[in-house]
Amino acid sequence: AYVGGTEHTVAARKVTVVDTTGAGDAFNAGFIAGWLNGADTWESLATGVACGAEAVTRIGGATGLGDIGVLSDAHGSAGRRF
C-alpha cells in the first residue's frame, strides 16, 4: 500500500494452501475491517494478510474464514483490535 508516497508492505505468511478461492476477498475484508476499526496502515495490511492466509487453508471461499480469535492465535498480532 502507498500512503503519502511511502510504500508499506507486509510479508506473506507461510501456510499450506488447500484452495485459493476467496483469498483476495479475504485480504480485502481484513484490511478494510482493520482500517475501519482504527488500525494504522501496517496493522490493516497485517490483518488482511492474516485473513488471506487463513482463507487458503480450507476449501471454499466463505467457509475458509475463521473468526478473529483464530486469526489472533494463528497469526500473532493481526486482529488484536477486534
Side-chain angles (χ1 to χ4, degrees):
Y2 283 90
V3 178
T6 301
E7 180 181 26
H8 299 266
T9 62
V10 173
R13 300 179 182 273
K14 292 185 184 228
V15 296
T16 300
V17 176
V18 175
D19 183 2
T20 61
T21 303
D25 294 333
F27 169 85
N28 289 336
F31 180 88
I32 291 167
W35 194 256
L36 292 176
N37 281 285
D40 62 18
T41 302
W42 183 89
E43 191 170 10
S44 295
L45 286 171
T47 302
V49 167
C51 288
E54 188 66 25
V56 302
T57 64
R58 298 184 185 98
I59 294 176
T63 58
L65 295 176
D67 65 29
I68 203 67
V70 170
L71 291 174
S72 294
D73 291 345
H75 302 284
S77 65
R80 68 174 176 247
R81 289 181 175 265
F82 308 104

